[in-house]
Amino acid sequence: MKSHEITIRPAVAADAAGLNRALAQLSADMGDEHGASDADIARFCFGPAPVMHALLAETADRAIVGVAAYSPFVSTVYGSVGVYISDLWVADEARGNRLGLALLAAVRAAGLEVWNASFLRLNVYHDNPRALAFYERLGFVPTTETQYMTLVGTAYDALGAQP
C-alpha cells in the first residue's frame, strides 16, 4: 500500500461505526479496554455539542487505515489554543508510509484553520518506545514539570457531591 493511494478526510456522522472500530483496534493494540460504543462516538463527534473531531485515512476502496482524534483546549501559559490528540492509529498494513506524520500534519492544519491553534499536545505510554521515538523525531518534547492525573469512578462521583 502506497501513501498516494491513501486520502485523509474529516470524519462525518456516517463514519461513526468505522471510526469506533478503528479506535477499538487502537485500544486492542495498546492492551487497553475499549469502552466507547458507536453511539458514544456519534455523540462525541457529531452530537449537538461535539467534544471530539476526527480525521480518517482511507484507501481507494474506503477501508480505514488511520485515525486521528483530537480536541481543542486553551493554555493560558502559551496564551493560545492548542490541539490535544487523544488517539492516533495507523493500521499495521499501512505502516511505513509516513501516514502517522500525515495525520498529525492534517490535525495541525485543521487546528490552525478552525481555532488558530499554535501547538499540539498528546500523551504517550511510557512502555511504548516506538511511539516515543516517533514523536521525538518530529520534535515533540516530554513535559517534566507536570504530571498527567485522572479523576474517575467513585472519586469523580464524590466530587459532584461536594457543596
Side-chain angles (χ1 to χ4, degrees), residues 4-40:
H4 69 273
E5 299 169 347
I6 299 171
T7 58
I8 296 175
R9 65 170 179 83
V12 296
D15 295 317
L19 173 58
N20 195 36
R21 279 191 301 277
L23 294 172
Q25 184 59 56
L26 171 61
S27 294
D29 291 350
M30 299 306 300
D32 292 335
E33 291 196 29
H34 184 76
S37 67
D38 294 354
D40 291 331

Side-chain angles (χ1 to χ4, degrees), residues 28-94:
D29 291 350
M30 299 306 300
D32 292 335
E33 291 196 29
H34 184 76
S37 67
D38 294 354
D40 291 331
I41 296 300
R43 180 172 44 90
F44 299 157
C45 289
F46 314 109
V51 295
M52 183 173 87
H53 303 268
L55 297 171
L56 303 179
E58 293 182 322
T59 61
D61 64 353
R62 300 202 47 142
I64 297 172
V65 294
V67 167
Y70 60 96
S71 304
F73 70 100
V74 173
S75 169
T76 57
V77 171
Y78 293 131
S80 175
V81 173
V83 179
Y84 176 72
I85 301 163
S86 58
D87 298 290
L88 180 69
W89 172 77
V90 174
D92 287 340
E93 66 269 18

Side-chain angles (χ1 to χ4, degrees), residues 46-154:
F46 314 109
V51 295
M52 183 173 87
H53 303 268
L55 297 171
L56 303 179
E58 293 182 322
T59 61
D61 64 353
R62 300 202 47 142
I64 297 172
V65 294
V67 167
Y70 60 96
S71 304
F73 70 100
V74 173
S75 169
T76 57
V77 171
Y78 293 131
S80 175
V81 173
V83 179
Y84 176 72
I85 301 163
S86 58
D87 298 290
L88 180 69
W89 172 77
V90 174
D92 287 340
E93 66 269 18
R95 294 201 176 170
N97 288 299
R98 301 176 55 91
L99 187 52
L101 174 63
L103 283 162
L104 287 171
V107 168
R108 179 195 175 277
L112 189 59
E113 178 182 335
V114 178
W115 306 296
N116 197 29
S118 67
F119 65 101
L120 301 177
R121 182 172 287 164
L122 49 76
N123 289 306
V124 183
Y125 289 152
H126 296 291
D127 64 353
N128 191 344
R130 186 174 168 194
L132 285 165
F134 168 71
Y135 294 122
E136 287 174 352
R137 277 193 311 273
L138 295 177
F140 282 84
V141 292
T143 303
T144 57
E145 64 272 5
T146 63
Q147 172 67 46
Y148 186 78
M149 299 179 74
T150 304
L151 185 68
V152 67
T154 56

